[in-house]
Amino acid sequence: LEAVETLIMGDHDYKTVIIDTIDKLYDYAEEDVCLNEGIDHVSKLAMGKGYALARNALESQLNRLGMCDKFCLVIIGL
């Protein structure tokens, strides 16, 4: 989250931002949900809520990066 904020709001010369790999970034989103919810795995939240929270958090940040006109965003997935 801090990196996204720095990329969007910071004063830098980056022309391209590459996320390699998006799969690992999703893992970090799941870890963040677990920390925030006080659980050890996202599956502990009923009805898939943990997975939805992780996906929504990741999509939100990717959308912010994608809409920024300071740089080109490249995302690599497995």
Side-chain angles (χ1 to χ4, degrees), residues 5-73:
E5 196 63 30
T6 299
L7 288 168
I8 292 172
M9 303 304 289
D11 185 27
H12 56 76
D13 295 328
Y14 299 133
K15 301 292 184 223
T16 304
V17 172
I18 301 172
I19 298 175
D20 180 14
T21 66
I22 192 67
D23 309 72
K24 186 61 181 168
L25 194 57
Y26 177 79
D27 292 342
Y28 291 139
E30 282 191 357
E31 288 177 20
D32 191 54
V33 168
C34 289
L35 285 173
N36 291 334
E37 298 293 325
I39 56 177
D40 61 355
H41 193 271
V42 290
S43 65
K44 300 286 181 169
L45 295 178
M47 309 287 288
K49 180 181 176 185
Y51 294 103
L53 288 172
R55 185 190 71 241
N56 291 343
L58 180 58
E59 285 179 358
S60 171
Q61 297 307 310
L62 290 175
N63 285 338
R64 291 183 68 210
L65 287 170
M67 293 173 59
C68 184
D69 60 0
K70 289 183 173 183
F71 49 78
C72 174
L73 178 62

